[in-house]
Amino acid sequence: MHFSVHKKIQIGFVIAFTVIIMASIFSYLVAKNLLDNAARLNHAIEVSKRLEVINKQVKEAEAAIRGYKLTKDSTFLDPTMKERSLHIEKEYQILRRVTSDSRIQQLHLDTLRHLLAIKYEQLLQSNIELDPATDKASVISSEKVMDRIDKTVQLMTRIEESQVHEKSELFNFFSGLWVPMIFISSLAAIIIGIYSYITLTKEVRLQQHIESKLKSYQRDLQQNISLLNKTNQELEQFAYVASHDLQEPLRKISTFSDRLQVKYKEQLPVDASQLIDRMVAAVSRMRVLINDLLVFSRAGRIVPESIVPVDMNELIQEVISDLEITLEEKNGVVVADDLPIIEGNPTSFHQLFQNLIANAIKFAYPGRQLQINIHHEVVTGQQLGFVKEDRWNDMFCRIAVEDNGIGFDQVYADRIFLIFQRLHGISEYSGTGIGLAICKKIVDSHHGYITANGVPDQGATFTVILPLLQALKNEEYETTSKA
């Protein structure tokens, strides 16, 4: 499967981001366990310290009693047993708060409190003079309580140490994963970085190469446009000169044939007169053809300055007025909708609709009143369905010129817009086959569309689609006019 450069870079960054997230999660877990381990260690140290202080003070109190009994020196009883017991109680309460989150330690503290209470009573009784037998029993009992206190303190210390050990093992586990994870993520980041750098470097070089080629093509295109402009100007001049120069010999042929017929009409045989008539008709057709070719060469050549809002209602009425005589000859009727204002070249639009209506008049069905209907609707480019996506929001006017004439076979729908293409013989219908080609050229120059639909003996419909606004640049006009 082939991936584009952009897709590869996206995948690389996704992988890098995923690795970074995983490394961050492991780093967080390691840091959290490190902090928890440190907190647990501090907690164990504090608990051990408090236990050691309690144990030490109990032993010091017991040693003070023994020293007093041996020496009778009252300084051994300073501080007093009550003061010592209060200090022990203070340490005990602190230890109680420190271990409040451990139920088992709280139970051991309950045991320790009970033993301390017994020990406190024993210490108070030690101040009283007893006989040797009683004193000996008291010492033995005191040593047993002290042993139990030592065992309780040791047990609580071991519990704290075991918890510290558990935290240390968990920390070591995450630390063991953290080091390779950091190494893998760093290695992946380096590889992705190198890959991205190489890929982006290639992309930049390719982009620079494309831009260089585009600039070269643009220069060539500008040169070709300039050359095409010059060629079009020369062709236009040639068309004008050719039409003018060709018209002159035609006028002479027409003049000489007329003189020949007038001066030698009685002397010419019948077949000679017929040949002259055919020659005159051919000259007439030649003159019409030259004029139509000149019109075709200039059709659609518009400039931005010639684009203005055109009232299509007024324009259609002007066309109908120009064709009034031929409409009366065919007993034709034109019915038009209330058309909108469309930006374009008024002269070109006039020629466009004059050709379409004249075409309908020419191909009227014999013996049937000619009916020409002009309908329209305003639609968006998206509704049309065949315009490019960047023109979907543009507004278009779809104008249908419908007649009930002789129509045509739909298989010839595209052919009729080609220059010199005729569906009927010249003896049946006059014309050069250029009119509809001129229509297509005008519509194309306005960035529109034209189509034809026909049914033999029933009529034809020519649909013209024009944008309401002509938002074009100068070079676009020039390029369009050359088409």
Side-chain angles (χ1 to χ4, degrees), residues 322-338:
D322 293 343
L323 299 173
E324 183 177 1
I325 296 176
T326 53
L327 276 170
E328 290 177 355
E329 291 176 354
K330 297 287 185 178
N331 192 25
V333 178
V334 180
V335 179
D337 287 352
D338 186 14

Side-chain angles (χ1 to χ4, degrees), residues 97-271:
R97 289 195 302 271
V98 171
T99 59
S100 60
D101 58 343
S102 176
R103 184 174 179 274
I104 188 169
Q105 292 290 57
Q106 291 287 304
L107 293 175
H108 288 308
L109 283 176
D110 292 339
T111 302
L112 183 62
R113 172 180 282 280
H114 176 68
L115 294 174
L116 288 174
I118 296 173
K119 190 64 178 177
Y120 178 67
E121 291 296 329
Q122 289 177 347
L123 291 175
L124 290 179
Q125 291 177 2
S126 298
N127 289 330
I128 304 172
E129 293 292 335
L130 300 173
D131 58 79
T134 304
D135 191 40
K136 182 178 179 181
S138 176
V139 170
I140 293 173
S141 175
S142 178
E143 288 180 354
K144 289 182 179 180
V145 172
M146 195 66 217
D147 288 340
R148 292 180 63 190
I149 290 174
D150 286 339
K151 289 179 180 179
T152 302
V153 169
Q154 290 175 5
L155 180 59
M156 292 182 69
T157 302
R158 282 197 298 271
I159 291 174
E160 292 295 325
E161 289 176 350
S162 65
Q163 291 179 351
V164 170
H165 180 68
E166 290 176 2
K167 289 290 183 180
S168 297
E169 287 184 346
L170 189 60
F171 173 74
N172 292 332
F173 171 74
F174 280 106
S175 297
L177 292 178
W178 181 70
V179 173
M181 177 58 65
I182 292 298
F183 174 76
I184 292 173
S185 61
S186 300
L187 184 61
I190 292 172
I191 293 173
I192 293 173
I194 294 173
Y195 171 78
S196 300
Y197 173 77
I198 294 173
T199 304
L200 290 175
T201 302
K202 289 182 179 179
E203 182 69 12
V204 169
R205 289 177 180 174
L206 179 60
Q207 188 68 26
Q208 290 175 346
H209 177 70
I210 293 174
E211 289 178 358
S212 176
K213 286 291 185 182
L214 286 176
K215 289 180 181 179
S216 177
Y217 293 151
Q218 188 175 12
R219 287 193 298 269
D220 293 342
L221 181 61
Q222 290 297 332
Q223 291 176 359
N224 291 333
I225 289 174
S226 301
L227 181 60
L228 192 57
N229 281 333
K230 184 179 179 180
T231 303
N232 282 336
Q233 291 175 359
E234 291 175 352
L235 286 175
E236 188 173 355
Q237 292 174 359
F238 171 77
Y240 177 77
V241 172
S243 63
H244 181 272
D245 291 347
L246 287 174
Q247 292 281 11
E248 186 60 28
L250 288 177
R251 279 193 295 270
K252 288 183 179 180
I253 294 173
S254 180
T255 301
F256 292 154
S257 62
D258 289 342
R259 288 182 182 179
L260 186 62
Q261 283 184 318
V262 171
K263 189 173 182 178
Y264 300 103
K265 183 177 182 181
E266 300 299 332
Q267 302 176 18
L268 291 173
V270 177
D271 56 347

